Amino acid sequence: MFEITGAASVRLHGKRKVGIMNSDDKKITIKDVARLSGLSKGTVDRVVHNRGEVSETSRIKINEVIEKLGYKPNLYASLLASKKRYTLVCLIPRFGQGEYWELVRGGIQRAIDKAAAYNIDIITVQYEQFDAASFRKACDETLAADPAAVMLAPIYHDLTIALTTELSRRGVPFVYIDSKLDTTSYMAYYGMPMFQSGILGGSLLMESATQGEAIANFRIDRGEALPQDNPTLSRRAGFMEFIGAHHPSTTVLNEFIKPYDPLHNIRVLDAFFDRHPEVKRIITFNSRVHLIAEYIEKRSLNGIALVGYDMLAKNIDAVRNGQVKYLITQRTETQVYRSINAIIAHLIMKREPAAKDNYMSMDILTKYNADYYFDIFEI
Amino acid sequence: MFEITGAASVRLHGKRKVGIMNSDDKKITIKDVARLSGLSKGTVDRVVHNRGEVSETSRIKINEVIEKLGYKPNLYASLLASKKRYTLVCLIPRFGQGEYWELVRGGIQRAIDKAAAYNIDIITVQYEQFDAASFRKACDETLAADPAAVMLAPIYHDLTIALTTELSRRGVPFVYIDSKLDTTSYMAYYGMPMFQSGILGGSLLMESATQGEAIANFRIDRGEALPQDNPTLSRRAGFMEFIGAHHPSTTVLNEFIKPYDPLHNIRVLDAFFDRHPEVKRIITFNSRVHLIAEYIEKRSLNGIALVGYDMLAKNIDAVRNGQVKYLITQRTETQVYRSINAIIAHLIMKREPAAKDNYMSMDILTKYNADYYFDIFEI
DNA sequence: TCGAATTTCGTGCACGTGCACGAAAAATTT
DNA sequence: AAATTTTTCGTGCACGTGCACGAAATTCGA
């Protein structure tokens, strides 16, 4: 802890003014280390980047001096002098407009400039979300790019294992976003705690619910195309646990809709509400809550509490209109940006992420605060 | 928009691999500009930093070339070569442990390293929040430090005007956090939309409220010490507007407590609930909701919905325990960090903030998502 | 013990910019 | 037109690091 003394600011040796203390004051260069250790800067440099050709005695001596002086290479000078270039591959699904993965792309987009400043080229490899062959091909392309690091969303379990195994063999670090495979040796993970997000959704949906109410969960019908690891499943599991613990007498009715078949959806929903006109609470665990909101609007249904996930533009609109009561979102762009940042820190500053698993906050959006979540990209 | 073509990645002129396009490819240096304009890099440098001693014709010529090539000075080389140092003064209230302003200090603390990398020294000048003379003295110290920029929270209206007027006269940019004085020529503002945050609090507090309920608003009794601009007042105004619009038959009961007098508070609260045992909804607009939570805990009161503001550690604890139902928070550290970042961008990169007024998101914390708001500092 | 092979090390240029110094060019005065 | 002042401009070093190249020191082999 820093002590703030009586005076609002403190003066130290003449001109230097310090309130809350600054970090390192005097800059120690490689020359200082060289002089103190009686060797040349070339040798010091060899030790710093341990690229060999140094005798054991000199190595020890130099490391002592580095330790003593607290020498840290000047990043700017280093970047300026270095001609090394790195390639970072981001492996994500292809997306249509207004889909979740578009937000991920946004984060990548934001990071490109920053990465470029560190001699890192970001290339994005995309695949069809519901086509394993496409994912396999994308993995090949990823490896062919000879990346220095990889950021990926592990949609297909086995193929991801194959990819990450090869990456590990090559010593290439990789960072998961969105979900992760715990058995692989990933460098870091950035994502929403899916199970918890289901619990949160349950708690918001069931607010002042009465005993034995029937509620609805509308799900996406993917047919055969469902990839193996679907994070929304654990979200649903969290929700069901909450219901079981706090509302055991509640019935959860499941119904399936299709993302790209509006007519089909209207038929299904009409039939559903025909059978269950008493349902006043609806939740979706995928990112398509706006489809339900549109239906509710179309049929002018009243008094329905609708809870959903993910910050798609259409979802936000539905929140603003009051059709969606609570939208639970994560800061996807920030999440991606942070994951790329972790990679930069690893590659350039040789720093490991503070935490391996980084769970992003789950933001609750309502009609009254949604306006302030539009430009939430931080720094 | 970037076109993602059929192949998952695209190859451009041989080795360069690009998916989502990188920014500037080839690096244009001052030498290129010099050569193309038929002048020396010294002259180009004089134009770039417009420090005169350049004929009109050469100036125009060089600017043309700069424009054509899209020349941008290399920040690293520049930082490496420059010996300039800047001082940034942060003018904030002194604080005790667990107070709101401690969060602000956290943001400053985080920014110190980054600023240092840009040759910027951050010094913090503090004053007593309820002592105008102290604020005046702090202003003097701020000016005496000859700052290159200032970040401040405008607690005292008139004195702030005096300070900012002098800063403007000197051409020193300043950034407000927390609240702002619209009549001054500030560079940027970062804060929570206070009025809106009152509305949000009202909407959360009154969830499924019945007609004509009495609710309570516990406020802080500052005696004579209240500074002129108290942001919580506009928060309260937002709340009252919401009540008036949506719950006109509701009675809002006001009661005053003291931040540092627990015995007094117990007496006051006991008396209050003696008179109004029917009150089941309580809101505070200051950051001290944990005081109420502690009382509720102590007296084992049940079924009370408590809503408050600000991410003090004690408040978060109260949310986790379920004593506080909703805590509305802003990302104070991020906010401060961003404001300092805007200053760095201005001083070093000569870039103005994208938006002058930056309203931070209002996060809703409950028992079920509070755990993920602890380390929400974003990059 | 001497030359060759190997290991270890030092020197010096490059990276792109900032800026001091002094030279060249232009303008002004005598 | 020469001398002087003023304006304009170019050169070169410094910033701290990376790395290539070749020199020096050490080890090895016969």
Side-chain angles (χ1 to χ4, degrees):
Chain A
M1 253 348 198
F2 296 99
E3 201 59 38
I4 310 280
T5 58
S9 75
V10 185
R11 264 152 222 279
L12 277 157
H13 42 82
K15 311 205 68 178
R16 208 93 176 60
K17 285 161 242 140
V18 179
I20 292 174
M21 198 74 117
N22 286 51
S23 57
D24 314 315
D25 233 349
K26 46 202 96 178
K27 37 214 127 175
I28 293 145
T29 76
I30 200 169
K31 254 192 220 158
D32 300 319
V33 178
R35 192 163 27 79
L36 265 287
S37 58
L39 290 157
S40 75
K41 76 192 180 76
T43 307
V44 175
D45 188 75
R46 273 181 282 265
V47 171
V48 169
H49 299 90
N50 50 323
R51 48 185 164 89
E53 312 205 357
V54 177
S55 73
E56 192 59 10
T57 46
S58 328
R59 202 181 59 77
I60 290 171
K61 177 70 193 159
I62 287 176
N63 273 327
E64 275 175 17
V65 176
I66 287 178
E67 186 71 24
K68 205 175 88 185
L69 298 187
Y71 166 72
K72 289 269 180 292
N74 180 316
L75 188 60
Y76 301 145
S78 172
L79 248 11
L80 186 60
S82 170
K83 315 185 101 54
K84 243 185 246 144
R85 291 203 76 83
Y86 301 92
T87 300
L88 162 60
V89 170
C90 298
L91 181 59
I92 59 169
R94 201 181 305 283
F95 50 82
Q97 207 173 16
E99 288 184 23
Y100 173 79
W101 293 101
E102 196 176 5
L103 302 173
V104 173
R105 193 261 283 272
I108 296 173
Q109 202 60 38
R110 302 249 195 187
I112 284 184
D113 281 340
K114 170 153 186 186
Y118 292 100
N119 298 331
I120 297 174
D121 300 314
I122 296 183
I123 83 176
T124 306
V125 174
Q126 297 186 289
Y127 55 90
E128 302 304 328
Q129 200 172 162
F130 304 110
D131 174 5
S134 155
F135 185 77
R136 185 192 307 273
K137 180 152 161 281
C139 289
D140 290 345
E141 295 187 43
T142 299
L143 291 172
D146 189 27
V150 174
M151 186 196 84
L152 76 163
I155 296 276
Y156 288 91
H157 185 278
D158 296 346
L159 291 173
T160 301
I161 298 275
L163 173 65
T164 56
T165 303
E166 172 60 15
L167 289 176
S168 294
R169 200 189 60 73
R170 295 189 188 181
V172 175
F174 55 94
V175 172
Y176 287 128
I177 56 159
D178 224 60
S179 59
K180 58 174 172 165
L181 299 187
D182 279 311
T183 57
T184 58
S185 56
Y186 57 99
M187 184 176 91
Y189 160 73
Y190 292 84
M192 187 190 262
M194 295 302 283
F195 190 86
Q196 268 294 328
S197 77
I199 295 181
L200 178 61
S203 74
L204 293 173
L205 182 70
M206 301 308 287
E207 212 160 33
S208 31
T210 56
Q211 195 76 341
E213 256 184 69
I215 62 177
N217 171 23
F218 290 132
R219 304 163 74 176
I220 295 282
D221 181 3
R222 292 281 184 205
E224 305 295 308
L226 198 67
Q228 293 146 324
D229 275 299
N230 190 335
T232 62
L233 290 182
S234 62
R235 182 174 282 162
R236 184 162 192 280
F239 174 80
M240 292 309 290
E241 179 176 287
F242 179 87
I243 296 293
H246 296 88
H247 301 270
S249 60
T250 288
T251 316
V252 179
L253 303 165
N254 291 276
E255 195 61 70
F256 290 83
I257 61 171
K258 299 191 173 182
Y260 300 111
D261 192 345
L263 292 175
H264 170 267
N265 292 343
I266 288 187
R267 253 181 291 121
V268 168
L269 293 173
D270 275 347
F272 178 87
F273 283 106
D274 213 40
R275 273 177 285 133
H276 304 287
E278 79 283 8
V279 167
K280 293 294 181 200
R281 299 174 196 271
I282 305 172
I283 192 165
T284 69
F285 298 116
N286 53 71
S287 63
R288 302 299 187 145
V289 69
H290 64 85
L291 294 176
I292 312 299
E294 283 155 18
Y295 175 84
I296 289 177
E297 179 74 2
K298 190 184 180 80
R299 291 285 182 253
S300 308
L301 302 182
N302 283 324
I304 290 193
L306 179 56
V307 173
Y309 293 82
D310 292 334
M311 204 174 320
L312 307 194
K314 284 186 176 179
N315 290 351
I316 301 230
D317 283 345
V319 170
R320 289 172 149 170
N321 298 339
Q323 296 155 359
V324 168
K325 187 175 181 190
Y326 292 113
L327 187 70
I328 299 169
T329 68
Q330 60 186 323
R331 312 201 163 204
T332 303
E333 290 203 359
T334 301
Q335 175 178 314
V336 172
Y337 189 83
R338 285 186 66 180
S339 76
I340 294 180
N341 242 319
I343 290 171
I344 293 176
H346 173 84
L347 253 29
I348 308 296
M349 297 90 164
K350 316 286 180 207
R351 275 208 310 258
E352 295 317 298
K356 194 175 177 189
D357 290 324
N358 299 275
Y359 296 101
M360 308 296 292
S361 62
M362 301 176 286
D363 296 327
I364 301 171
L365 273 60
T366 80
K367 185 176 174 175
Y368 298 104
N369 70 344
D371 286 344
Y372 301 92
Y373 279 88
F374 247 94
D375 181 32
I376 58 167
F377 188 73
E378 331 258 313
I379 283 310
Chain B
M1 252 346 197
F2 298 96
E3 202 60 38
I4 311 280
T5 59
S9 76
V10 184
R11 263 152 222 280
L12 277 157
H13 43 84
K15 314 205 67 176
R16 210 88 183 62
K17 286 162 241 140
V18 178
I20 290 175
M21 198 75 119
N22 288 50
S23 57
D24 314 319
D25 234 347
K26 44 204 99 175
K27 34 213 128 177
I28 294 146
T29 77
I30 201 169
K31 254 191 220 160
D32 299 318
V33 178
R35 194 161 28 78
L36 264 287
S37 60
L39 290 156
S40 74
K41 75 191 181 78
T43 307
V44 175
D45 188 74
R46 273 181 282 263
V47 171
V48 169
H49 300 91
N50 51 324
R51 47 185 165 88
E53 311 206 355
V54 177
S55 72
E56 192 60 10
T57 46
S58 329
R59 202 180 58 75
I60 290 171
K61 177 70 194 163
I62 287 174
N63 274 327
E64 275 175 15
V65 175
I66 287 178
E67 186 70 23
K68 203 175 88 185
L69 297 187
Y71 166 72
K72 290 268 180 292
N74 179 315
L75 189 59
Y76 301 145
S78 170
L79 248 12
L80 185 60
S82 170
K83 314 185 104 54
K84 243 184 244 144
R85 291 205 75 83
Y86 301 90
T87 300
L88 162 60
V89 170
C90 297
L91 182 60
I92 58 169
R94 201 179 307 280
F95 50 82
Q97 208 173 14
E99 289 185 22
Y100 172 78
W101 293 102
E102 197 176 5
L103 301 173
V104 172
R105 195 261 281 274
I108 296 173
Q109 202 61 36
R110 302 249 196 184
I112 284 183
D113 281 341
K114 167 151 187 185
Y118 292 101
N119 298 330
I120 298 175
D121 300 314
I122 296 183
I123 84 175
T124 306
V125 174
Q126 297 186 289
Y127 55 90
E128 303 304 330
Q129 199 172 164
F130 304 109
D131 175 5
S134 155
F135 186 78
R136 186 193 306 274
K137 181 152 161 281
C139 289
D140 290 345
E141 294 187 43
T142 299
L143 292 172
D146 190 25
V150 175
M151 187 196 83
L152 76 163
I155 296 275
Y156 288 91
H157 185 277
D158 296 348
L159 291 173
T160 301
I161 298 277
L163 172 64
T164 56
T165 302
E166 173 60 15
L167 290 175
S168 294
R169 202 189 59 75
R170 295 189 187 182
V172 174
F174 55 94
V175 172
Y176 287 127
I177 56 158
D178 226 60
S179 58
K180 58 174 173 164
L181 300 187
D182 279 311
T183 58
T184 59
S185 56
Y186 56 101
M187 185 176 91
Y189 160 72
Y190 292 83
M192 188 191 260
M194 295 303 281
F195 190 87
Q196 269 294 327
S197 77
I199 294 180
L200 178 61
S203 74
L204 293 173
L205 182 70
M206 301 308 286
E207 212 160 32
S208 31
T210 56
Q211 196 74 341
E213 258 183 68
I215 63 177
N217 170 23
F218 290 132
R219 306 163 71 176
I220 294 283
D221 182 3
R222 293 282 184 202
E224 304 295 309
L226 199 68
Q228 294 147 322
D229 275 298
N230 190 336
T232 63
L233 290 182
S234 61
R235 183 174 281 164
R236 183 163 193 280
F239 174 79
M240 292 308 289
E241 179 177 287
F242 180 87
I243 296 293
H246 296 89
H247 302 270
S249 61
T250 288
T251 316
V252 179
L253 302 165
N254 292 275
E255 194 62 71
F256 290 83
I257 62 170
K258 298 190 175 183
Y260 301 110
D261 192 344
L263 292 176
H264 170 267
N265 292 344
I266 288 187
R267 253 181 292 123
V268 169
L269 292 173
D270 276 347
F272 178 88
F273 284 106
D274 214 42
R275 274 177 285 133
H276 305 286
E278 77 284 9
V279 166
K280 294 295 180 198
R281 299 175 195 269
I282 305 172
I283 192 165
T284 69
F285 298 117
N286 53 71
S287 64
R288 303 299 186 146
V289 68
H290 65 86
L291 294 176
I292 312 299
E294 284 154 17
Y295 174 84
I296 288 178
E297 179 75 2
K298 190 183 181 81
R299 291 286 184 254
S300 308
L301 301 183
N302 284 324
I304 291 193
L306 180 56
V307 173
Y309 293 81
D310 291 336
M311 204 174 320
L312 307 193
K314 286 186 176 179
N315 290 351
I316 300 230
D317 284 345
V319 170
R320 289 172 149 169
N321 299 339
Q323 296 155 1
V324 168
K325 186 174 181 191
Y326 292 112
L327 187 70
I328 298 168
T329 68
Q330 61 186 323
R331 313 200 162 204
T332 303
E333 290 202 0
T334 301
Q335 174 179 314
V336 172
Y337 190 83
R338 286 187 66 180
S339 77
I340 293 181
N341 241 320
I343 290 172
I344 293 176
H346 173 84
L347 253 31
I348 308 296
M349 297 90 161
K350 316 286 181 204
R351 274 209 310 256
E352 295 317 298
K356 194 174 177 188
D357 291 324
N358 299 274
Y359 295 102
M360 308 295 293
S361 62
M362 302 176 286
D363 296 327
I364 302 171
L365 273 61
T366 80
K367 185 175 174 175
Y368 298 103
N369 72 343
D371 285 344
Y372 301 92
Y373 278 88
F374 248 92
D375 180 32
I376 59 168
F377 188 72
E378 333 254 315
I379 283 307

